[in-house]
Amino acid sequence: MTPEDEKVILGLVYSPANPTRVGSPEEVLRHFGASDGRQLGLKLLKEAIESRYADGVELALIVSNEFGTTMDYLDMLLQLSAADWHYMHEDVVSLLGQLRTPTAVDALYQAAVWIPDYLDYDDNRALATKAIWALGDTPGPEAEAALVRLRDSDSQIVRKGAEAQLERRQKSHTST
């Protein structure tokens, strides 16, 4: 990925320093000569994984968040969920949660119990919390069983999050 590629993708990002985007989705597609943003996101993600380029994962996920993901992303997201060479696990878990597939349950469970070195400072356990919410939104008995296991965690944050998601699931089952 060239510096110009990075600049075009980063133009999609809002930040406190940049409350209005300087780029557009159309500009990204035009720059890469693509007509389908989802396919572009897949291509960039595949390249980042193959080269183990951590910044490339971040840039590919920016594109993927902009244009959306499909089940075509699942295998790569599962790979990234446990990979220790990048620092975008929270975004990966969020995208897995959006897919709402029982296939992702094991990866989401592992994300809830694993603390990557670069997140060791995070006493709020944002990665675990996102993984627990994703499990709460995932249909099926596998997700429920994972939440039950998390309810026994030594971490109060993980335990309370799992309890809250189990309760939410229970309420949604009784209200239907």
Side-chain angles (χ1 to χ4, degrees):
M1 187 165 302
T2 69
E4 183 62 26
D5 294 343
E6 293 178 14
K7 182 179 176 187
V8 169
I9 292 170
L10 290 173
L12 295 173
V13 178
Y14 295 97
S15 71
N18 182 29
T20 57
R21 295 198 298 192
V22 295
S24 70
E26 296 77 21
E27 185 179 343
V28 170
L29 292 175
R30 193 169 36 257
H31 174 80
F32 285 96
S35 59
D36 183 335
R38 288 180 176 167
Q39 289 301 312
L40 175 62
L42 273 171
K43 176 183 174 285
L44 294 174
L45 202 54
K46 182 179 182 199
E47 290 171 0
I49 290 170
E50 287 173 353
S51 64
R52 293 175 59 109
Y53 178 44
D55 289 344
V57 171
E58 179 179 13
L59 295 164
L61 292 177
I62 290 169
V63 172
S64 300
N65 277 313
E66 180 66 37
F67 293 102
T69 57
T70 65
M71 289 301 285
D72 294 335
Y73 281 75
L74 181 61
D75 288 338
M76 286 188 280
L77 292 172
L78 291 173
Q79 285 178 51
L80 288 170
S81 71
D84 62 0
W85 54 266
H86 71 91
Y87 47 88
M88 299 302 298
H89 295 90
E90 290 180 40
D91 289 0
V92 169
V93 162
S94 293
L95 289 174
L96 283 171
Q98 289 174 19
L99 294 177
R100 296 183 178 184
T101 176
T103 305
V105 166
D106 288 340
L108 293 170
Y109 175 84
Q110 289 305 316
V113 298
W114 177 47
I115 303 173
D117 289 342
Y118 74 94
L119 290 177
D120 193 37
Y121 72 91
D122 182 11
D123 294 334
N124 294 318
R125 302 286 308 271
L127 176 60
T129 300
K130 288 179 182 183
I132 291 165
W133 271 92
L135 285 166
D137 288 339
T138 301
E142 300 91 347
E144 183 128 357
L147 288 167
V148 168
R149 288 194 320 265
L150 290 170
R151 190 174 55 193
D152 295 331
S153 172
D154 291 337
S155 164
Q156 181 179 1
I157 291 171
V158 171
R159 195 170 52 250
K160 287 188 177 292
E163 288 170 358
Q165 289 304 309
L166 286 165
E167 185 177 311
R168 188 173 68 87
R169 287 171 71 100
Q170 183 64 35
K171 284 181 182 175
S172 73
H173 289 303
T174 58
S175 66
T176 55

Short mmCIF file of all heavy atoms in Angstrom, two decimals, residues 79-129:
data_model
loop_
_atom_site.label_atom_id
_atom_site.label_comp_id
_atom_site.label_asym_id
_atom_site.label_seq_id
_atom_site.Cartn_x
_atom_site.Cartn_y
_atom_site.Cartn_z
N GLN A 79 -9.38 -15.31 11.35
CA GLN A 79 -7.91 -15.34 11.43
C GLN A 79 -7.39 -14.17 12.25
O GLN A 79 -6.54 -14.33 13.11
CB GLN A 79 -7.29 -15.25 10.03
CG GLN A 79 -7.35 -16.47 9.19
CD GLN A 79 -6.73 -16.19 7.83
OE1 GLN A 79 -5.62 -15.67 7.73
NE2 GLN A 79 -7.46 -16.52 6.78
N LEU A 80 -7.92 -12.99 11.96
CA LEU A 80 -7.44 -11.78 12.62
C LEU A 80 -7.83 -11.73 14.10
O LEU A 80 -7.14 -11.09 14.90
CB LEU A 80 -7.99 -10.54 11.91
CG LEU A 80 -7.37 -10.24 10.55
CD1 LEU A 80 -8.15 -9.15 9.85
CD2 LEU A 80 -5.91 -9.86 10.71
N SER A 81 -8.91 -12.40 14.47
CA SER A 81 -9.37 -12.32 15.86
C SER A 81 -8.34 -12.85 16.84
O SER A 81 -8.27 -12.39 17.97
CB SER A 81 -10.71 -13.04 16.03
OG SER A 81 -10.53 -14.45 15.93
N ALA A 82 -7.53 -13.80 16.41
CA ALA A 82 -6.54 -14.40 17.30
C ALA A 82 -5.10 -14.04 16.93
O ALA A 82 -4.17 -14.45 17.61
CB ALA A 82 -6.69 -15.92 17.31
N ALA A 83 -4.91 -13.28 15.88
CA ALA A 83 -3.56 -12.93 15.43
C ALA A 83 -2.95 -11.89 16.36
O ALA A 83 -3.59 -10.89 16.69
CB ALA A 83 -3.61 -12.40 14.00
N ASP A 84 -1.73 -12.13 16.76
CA ASP A 84 -1.09 -11.22 17.71
C ASP A 84 -0.19 -10.18 17.04
O ASP A 84 0.50 -9.43 17.73
CB ASP A 84 -0.30 -12.00 18.76
CG ASP A 84 0.83 -12.82 18.15
OD1 ASP A 84 1.02 -12.79 16.92
OD2 ASP A 84 1.54 -13.49 18.92
N TRP A 85 -0.20 -10.08 15.74
CA TRP A 85 0.69 -9.16 15.03
C TRP A 85 0.02 -7.84 14.64
O TRP A 85 0.65 -6.98 14.04
CB TRP A 85 1.29 -9.84 13.80
CG TRP A 85 0.27 -10.43 12.87
CD1 TRP A 85 -0.17 -11.73 12.87
CD2 TRP A 85 -0.43 -9.78 11.83
NE1 TRP A 85 -1.12 -11.91 11.89
CE2 TRP A 85 -1.29 -10.72 11.22
CE3 TRP A 85 -0.44 -8.47 11.33
CZ2 TRP A 85 -2.13 -10.41 10.17
CZ3 TRP A 85 -1.27 -8.16 10.27
CH2 TRP A 85 -2.10 -9.13 9.70
N HIS A 86 -1.25 -7.67 14.97
CA HIS A 86 -1.93 -6.41 14.67
C HIS A 86 -2.59 -5.89 15.94
O HIS A 86 -2.50 -6.51 17.00
CB HIS A 86 -2.95 -6.57 13.53
CG HIS A 86 -4.16 -7.36 13.91
ND1 HIS A 86 -5.29 -6.77 14.42
CD2 HIS A 86 -4.41 -8.69 13.88
CE1 HIS A 86 -6.19 -7.70 14.68
NE2 HIS A 86 -5.68 -8.88 14.37
N TYR A 87 -3.24 -4.75 15.84
CA TYR A 87 -3.81 -4.09 17.03
C TYR A 87 -5.24 -3.61 16.79
O TYR A 87 -5.68 -2.63 17.37
CB TYR A 87 -2.91 -2.91 17.44
CG TYR A 87 -2.53 -2.03 16.28
CD1 TYR A 87 -3.34 -0.98 15.88
CD2 TYR A 87 -1.38 -2.28 15.54
CE1 TYR A 87 -3.02 -0.20 14.80
CE2 TYR A 87 -1.04 -1.50 14.45
CZ TYR A 87 -1.87 -0.45 14.08
OH TYR A 87 -1.55 0.31 13.00
N MET A 88 -5.97 -4.33 15.98
CA MET A 88 -7.33 -3.94 15.62
C MET A 88 -8.37 -4.96 16.08
O MET A 88 -9.43 -5.12 15.47
CB MET A 88 -7.43 -3.72 14.10
CG MET A 88 -6.52 -2.63 13.56
SD MET A 88 -6.81 -1.01 14.30
CE MET A 88 -8.50 -0.71 13.81
N HIS A 89 -8.10 -5.64 17.15
CA HIS A 89 -8.98 -6.72 17.61
C HIS A 89 -10.39 -6.23 17.95
O HIS A 89 -11.37 -6.92 17.69
CB HIS A 89 -8.35 -7.45 18.80
CG HIS A 89 -7.10 -8.15 18.41
ND1 HIS A 89 -5.86 -7.55 18.47
CD2 HIS A 89 -6.89 -9.39 17.90
CE1 HIS A 89 -4.95 -8.40 18.03
NE2 HIS A 89 -5.55 -9.52 17.69
N GLU A 90 -10.51 -5.04 18.52
CA GLU A 90 -11.84 -4.53 18.85
C GLU A 90 -12.68 -4.35 17.60
O GLU A 90 -13.86 -4.71 17.58
CB GLU A 90 -11.74 -3.21 19.62
CG GLU A 90 -11.21 -3.39 21.03
CD GLU A 90 -11.10 -2.08 21.77
OE1 GLU A 90 -12.02 -1.25 21.64
OE2 GLU A 90 -10.11 -1.90 22.49
N ASP A 91 -12.09 -3.82 16.53
CA ASP A 91 -12.82 -3.65 15.28
C ASP A 91 -13.17 -4.99 14.65
O ASP A 91 -14.27 -5.17 14.11
CB ASP A 91 -12.02 -2.81 14.29
CG ASP A 91 -11.93 -1.35 14.70
OD1 ASP A 91 -12.49 -0.97 15.74
OD2 ASP A 91 -11.30 -0.57 13.96
N VAL A 92 -12.24 -5.94 14.73
CA VAL A 92 -12.49 -7.28 14.19
C VAL A 92 -13.67 -7.91 14.92
O VAL A 92 -14.59 -8.46 14.29
CB VAL A 92 -11.22 -8.16 14.29
CG1 VAL A 92 -11.54 -9.62 14.00
CG2 VAL A 92 -10.14 -7.64 13.35
N VAL A 93 -13.67 -7.82 16.24
CA VAL A 93 -14.76 -8.39 17.04
C VAL A 93 -16.08 -7.70 16.71
O VAL A 93 -17.12 -8.36 16.59
CB VAL A 93 -14.41 -8.31 18.55
CG1 VAL A 93 -15.64 -8.47 19.42
CG2 VAL A 93 -13.37 -9.36 18.89
N SER A 94 -16.06 -6.40 16.53
CA SER A 94 -17.29 -5.68 16.17
C SER A 94 -17.84 -6.17 14.84
O SER A 94 -19.05 -6.37 14.70
CB SER A 94 -17.02 -4.17 16.12
OG SER A 94 -16.75 -3.68 17.41
N LEU A 95 -16.96 -6.37 13.87
CA LEU A 95 -17.42 -6.86 12.57
C LEU A 95 -17.93 -8.30 12.67
O LEU A 95 -18.94 -8.65 12.04
CB LEU A 95 -16.32 -6.75 11.52
CG LEU A 95 -15.99 -5.32 11.09
CD1 LEU A 95 -14.79 -5.31 10.15
CD2 LEU A 95 -17.19 -4.66 10.42
N LEU A 96 -17.25 -9.13 13.46
CA LEU A 96 -17.77 -10.50 13.67
C LEU A 96 -19.15 -10.44 14.30
O LEU A 96 -20.03 -11.23 13.95
CB LEU A 96 -16.81 -11.30 14.55
CG LEU A 96 -15.55 -11.82 13.88
CD1 LEU A 96 -14.59 -12.40 14.90
CD2 LEU A 96 -15.88 -12.85 12.80
N GLY A 97 -19.34 -9.52 15.23
CA GLY A 97 -20.64 -9.37 15.86
C GLY A 97 -21.72 -8.96 14.88
O GLY A 97 -22.87 -9.41 14.98
N GLN A 98 -21.37 -8.13 13.92
CA GLN A 98 -22.35 -7.71 12.92
C GLN A 98 -22.77 -8.87 12.04
O GLN A 98 -23.90 -8.90 11.54
CB GLN A 98 -21.77 -6.59 12.05
CG GLN A 98 -21.62 -5.27 12.77
CD GLN A 98 -20.92 -4.22 11.92
OE1 GLN A 98 -20.84 -4.33 10.70
NE2 GLN A 98 -20.38 -3.21 12.58
N LEU A 99 -21.88 -9.83 11.83
CA LEU A 99 -22.23 -10.99 11.00
C LEU A 99 -23.20 -11.93 11.70
O LEU A 99 -23.91 -12.69 11.04
CB LEU A 99 -20.96 -11.74 10.58
CG LEU A 99 -20.02 -10.98 9.66
CD1 LEU A 99 -18.76 -11.80 9.38
CD2 LEU A 99 -20.70 -10.58 8.36
N ARG A 100 -23.22 -11.91 13.03
CA ARG A 100 -24.16 -12.71 13.83
C ARG A 100 -24.23 -14.16 13.40
O ARG A 100 -25.32 -14.70 13.15
CB ARG A 100 -25.54 -12.08 13.79
CG ARG A 100 -25.55 -10.71 14.45
CD ARG A 100 -26.89 -10.09 14.49
NE ARG A 100 -26.77 -8.81 15.19
CZ ARG A 100 -27.77 -8.03 15.47
NH1 ARG A 100 -28.99 -8.38 15.14
NH2 ARG A 100 -27.56 -6.90 16.09
N THR A 101 -23.08 -14.78 13.32
CA THR A 101 -23.03 -16.18 12.90
C THR A 101 -22.48 -17.06 14.02
O THR A 101 -21.48 -16.71 14.65
CB THR A 101 -22.17 -16.36 11.63
OG1 THR A 101 -22.08 -17.76 11.33
CG2 THR A 101 -20.77 -15.80 11.78
N PRO A 102 -23.12 -18.19 14.27
CA PRO A 102 -22.60 -19.12 15.27
C PRO A 102 -21.18 -19.58 14.97
O PRO A 102 -20.46 -19.98 15.89
CB PRO A 102 -23.59 -20.29 15.21
CG PRO A 102 -24.87 -19.67 14.72
CD PRO A 102 -24.43 -18.61 13.74
N THR A 103 -20.75 -19.50 13.73
CA THR A 103 -19.39 -19.88 13.37
C THR A 103 -18.35 -19.03 14.09
O THR A 103 -17.23 -19.47 14.31
CB THR A 103 -19.19 -19.75 11.84
OG1 THR A 103 -20.20 -20.52 11.19
CG2 THR A 103 -17.84 -20.25 11.39
N ALA A 104 -18.71 -17.83 14.49
CA ALA A 104 -17.77 -16.92 15.14
C ALA A 104 -17.76 -17.06 16.66
O ALA A 104 -16.97 -16.39 17.34
CB ALA A 104 -18.11 -15.48 14.77
N VAL A 105 -18.59 -17.92 17.23
CA VAL A 105 -18.73 -18.00 18.69
C VAL A 105 -17.40 -18.29 19.37
O VAL A 105 -17.04 -17.63 20.35
CB VAL A 105 -19.80 -19.03 19.09
CG1 VAL A 105 -19.71 -19.37 20.58
CG2 VAL A 105 -21.19 -18.48 18.75
N ASP A 106 -16.64 -19.27 18.89
CA ASP A 106 -15.37 -19.60 19.54
C ASP A 106 -14.40 -18.42 19.52
O ASP A 106 -13.75 -18.13 20.52
CB ASP A 106 -14.72 -20.83 18.90
CG ASP A 106 -15.45 -22.12 19.22
OD1 ASP A 106 -16.20 -22.15 20.22
OD2 ASP A 106 -15.27 -23.09 18.46
N ALA A 107 -14.33 -17.74 18.39
CA ALA A 107 -13.44 -16.58 18.29
C ALA A 107 -13.90 -15.46 19.22
O ALA A 107 -13.06 -14.80 19.86
CB ALA A 107 -13.40 -16.08 16.84
N LEU A 108 -15.19 -15.25 19.33
CA LEU A 108 -15.71 -14.21 20.22
C LEU A 108 -15.46 -14.58 21.68
O LEU A 108 -15.09 -13.72 22.49
CB LEU A 108 -17.19 -13.98 19.96
CG LEU A 108 -17.52 -13.36 18.59
CD1 LEU A 108 -19.03 -13.39 18.34
CD2 LEU A 108 -16.98 -11.94 18.49
N TYR A 109 -15.63 -15.83 22.01
CA TYR A 109 -15.34 -16.28 23.38
C TYR A 109 -13.87 -16.03 23.72
O TYR A 109 -13.54 -15.50 24.77
CB TYR A 109 -15.69 -17.76 23.55
CG TYR A 109 -15.31 -18.29 24.90
CD1 TYR A 109 -16.14 -18.12 26.00
CD2 TYR A 109 -14.08 -18.92 25.10
CE1 TYR A 109 -15.78 -18.58 27.26
CE2 TYR A 109 -13.70 -19.38 26.35
CZ TYR A 109 -14.56 -19.20 27.42
OH TYR A 109 -14.18 -19.64 28.67
N GLN A 110 -12.99 -16.42 22.81
CA GLN A 110 -11.55 -16.23 23.04
C GLN A 110 -11.22 -14.74 23.19
O GLN A 110 -10.39 -14.36 24.02
CB GLN A 110 -10.72 -16.85 21.92
CG GLN A 110 -10.72 -18.36 21.94
CD GLN A 110 -10.26 -18.93 23.27
OE1 GLN A 110 -9.29 -18.48 23.85
NE2 GLN A 110 -10.99 -19.93 23.76
N ALA A 111 -11.86 -13.90 22.40
CA ALA A 111 -11.63 -12.46 22.51
C ALA A 111 -12.09 -11.92 23.86
O ALA A 111 -11.54 -10.94 24.37
CB ALA A 111 -12.33 -11.72 21.37
N ALA A 112 -13.09 -12.56 24.43
CA ALA A 112 -13.60 -12.12 25.73
C ALA A 112 -12.66 -12.49 26.88
O ALA A 112 -12.66 -11.83 27.91
CB ALA A 112 -14.98 -12.72 25.98
N VAL A 113 -11.86 -13.53 26.69
CA VAL A 113 -10.98 -13.97 27.78
C VAL A 113 -9.52 -13.57 27.57
O VAL A 113 -8.74 -13.57 28.52
CB VAL A 113 -11.09 -15.50 28.02
CG1 VAL A 113 -12.50 -15.87 28.45
CG2 VAL A 113 -10.64 -16.30 26.82
N TRP A 114 -9.15 -13.20 26.35
CA TRP A 114 -7.77 -12.88 26.01
C TRP A 114 -7.51 -11.39 26.18
O TRP A 114 -8.34 -10.56 25.78
CB TRP A 114 -7.50 -13.29 24.57
CG TRP A 114 -6.15 -12.98 24.03
CD1 TRP A 114 -4.95 -13.20 24.63
CD2 TRP A 114 -5.86 -12.42 22.74
NE1 TRP A 114 -3.93 -12.81 23.79
CE2 TRP A 114 -4.45 -12.34 22.63
CE3 TRP A 114 -6.65 -12.01 21.68
CZ2 TRP A 114 -3.83 -11.83 21.50
CZ3 TRP A 114 -6.03 -11.51 20.55
CH2 TRP A 114 -4.63 -11.43 20.46
N ILE A 115 -6.38 -11.06 26.75
CA ILE A 115 -5.97 -9.66 26.84
C ILE A 115 -4.66 -9.52 26.05
O ILE A 115 -3.59 -9.90 26.55
CB ILE A 115 -5.76 -9.21 28.30
CG1 ILE A 115 -7.03 -9.42 29.11
CG2 ILE A 115 -5.32 -7.74 28.33
CD1 ILE A 115 -6.85 -9.17 30.60
N PRO A 116 -4.72 -9.01 24.83
CA PRO A 116 -3.49 -8.80 24.06
C PRO A 116 -2.56 -7.85 24.82
O PRO A 116 -3.01 -6.97 25.55
CB PRO A 116 -3.96 -8.16 22.75
CG PRO A 116 -5.42 -8.40 22.68
CD PRO A 116 -5.91 -8.56 24.09
N ASP A 117 -1.26 -8.02 24.63
CA ASP A 117 -0.29 -7.19 25.34
C ASP A 117 -0.57 -5.70 25.17
O ASP A 117 -0.46 -4.93 26.11
CB ASP A 117 1.13 -7.50 24.86
CG ASP A 117 1.61 -8.85 25.33
OD1 ASP A 117 1.01 -9.40 26.29
OD2 ASP A 117 2.58 -9.37 24.75
N TYR A 118 -0.94 -5.28 23.97
CA TYR A 118 -1.14 -3.86 23.73
C TYR A 118 -2.39 -3.32 24.43
O TYR A 118 -2.57 -2.11 24.51
CB TYR A 118 -1.18 -3.54 22.23
CG TYR A 118 -2.45 -3.95 21.53
CD1 TYR A 118 -3.50 -3.05 21.36
CD2 TYR A 118 -2.62 -5.24 21.03
CE1 TYR A 118 -4.67 -3.42 20.72
CE2 TYR A 118 -3.77 -5.61 20.38
CZ TYR A 118 -4.80 -4.70 20.24
OH TYR A 118 -5.96 -5.08 19.60
N LEU A 119 -3.25 -4.20 24.95
CA LEU A 119 -4.44 -3.76 25.70
C LEU A 119 -4.31 -4.03 27.19
O LEU A 119 -5.29 -3.90 27.93
CB LEU A 119 -5.70 -4.45 25.15
CG LEU A 119 -6.15 -4.02 23.76
CD1 LEU A 119 -7.35 -4.85 23.32
CD2 LEU A 119 -6.48 -2.54 23.74
N ASP A 120 -3.13 -4.38 27.63
CA ASP A 120 -2.93 -4.71 29.03
C ASP A 120 -3.29 -3.56 29.97
O ASP A 120 -3.67 -3.77 31.11
CB ASP A 120 -1.49 -5.15 29.26
CG ASP A 120 -1.30 -5.80 30.61
OD1 ASP A 120 -2.20 -6.53 31.05
OD2 ASP A 120 -0.25 -5.55 31.22
N TYR A 121 -3.23 -2.35 29.48
CA TYR A 121 -3.55 -1.16 30.29
C TYR A 121 -5.06 -0.98 30.49
O TYR A 121 -5.49 -0.23 31.36
CB TYR A 121 -3.01 0.10 29.61
CG TYR A 121 -3.80 0.45 28.39
CD1 TYR A 121 -4.90 1.32 28.49
CD2 TYR A 121 -3.53 -0.12 27.15
CE1 TYR A 121 -5.67 1.61 27.38
CE2 TYR A 121 -4.30 0.18 26.05
CZ TYR A 121 -5.36 1.04 26.16
OH TYR A 121 -6.13 1.32 25.07
N ASP A 122 -5.87 -1.63 29.67
CA ASP A 122 -7.31 -1.35 29.60
C ASP A 122 -8.07 -2.04 30.73
O ASP A 122 -8.51 -3.18 30.59
CB ASP A 122 -7.86 -1.77 28.24
CG ASP A 122 -9.34 -1.47 28.08
OD1 ASP A 122 -9.90 -0.74 28.93
OD2 ASP A 122 -9.93 -1.94 27.10
N ASP A 123 -8.23 -1.34 31.83
CA ASP A 123 -8.95 -1.90 32.97
C ASP A 123 -10.45 -2.07 32.69
O ASP A 123 -11.13 -2.78 33.41
CB ASP A 123 -8.76 -1.03 34.21
CG ASP A 123 -7.32 -1.03 34.69
OD1 ASP A 123 -6.60 -2.01 34.42
OD2 ASP A 123 -6.92 -0.04 35.33
N ASN A 124 -10.95 -1.41 31.66
CA ASN A 124 -12.37 -1.51 31.32
C ASN A 124 -12.68 -2.70 30.43
O ASN A 124 -13.85 -3.00 30.19
CB ASN A 124 -12.85 -0.22 30.64
CG ASN A 124 -12.82 0.94 31.58
OD1 ASN A 124 -13.20 0.82 32.74
ND2 ASN A 124 -12.34 2.07 31.10
N ARG A 125 -11.64 -3.35 29.92
CA ARG A 125 -11.79 -4.57 29.11
C ARG A 125 -12.72 -4.35 27.92
O ARG A 125 -13.68 -5.09 27.69
CB ARG A 125 -12.28 -5.74 29.96
CG ARG A 125 -11.43 -6.14 31.15
CD ARG A 125 -10.15 -6.86 30.78
NE ARG A 125 -10.33 -7.99 29.90
CZ ARG A 125 -10.56 -9.24 30.30
NH1 ARG A 125 -10.63 -9.51 31.59
NH2 ARG A 125 -10.71 -10.20 29.42
N ALA A 126 -12.41 -3.31 27.13
CA ALA A 126 -13.25 -2.98 25.98
C ALA A 126 -13.35 -4.14 24.98
O ALA A 126 -14.42 -4.39 24.44
CB ALA A 126 -12.72 -1.73 25.29
N LEU A 127 -12.25 -4.83 24.74
CA LEU A 127 -12.29 -5.96 23.81
C LEU A 127 -13.25 -7.03 24.33
O LEU A 127 -14.11 -7.52 23.58
CB LEU A 127 -10.89 -6.54 23.60
CG LEU A 127 -10.81 -7.80 22.72
CD1 LEU A 127 -11.35 -7.52 21.32
CD2 LEU A 127 -9.37 -8.30 22.65
N ALA A 128 -13.14 -7.38 25.59
CA ALA A 128 -14.02 -8.38 26.17
C ALA A 128 -15.47 -7.93 26.11
O ALA A 128 -16.37 -8.71 25.76
CB ALA A 128 -13.61 -8.67 27.62
N THR A 129 -15.70 -6.67 26.43
CA THR A 129 -17.06 -6.15 26.41
C THR A 129 -17.67 -6.22 25.01
O THR A 129 -18.83 -6.64 24.86
CB THR A 129 -17.07 -4.71 26.95
OG1 THR A 129 -16.57 -4.73 28.30
CG2 THR A 129 -18.46 -4.12 26.94
#
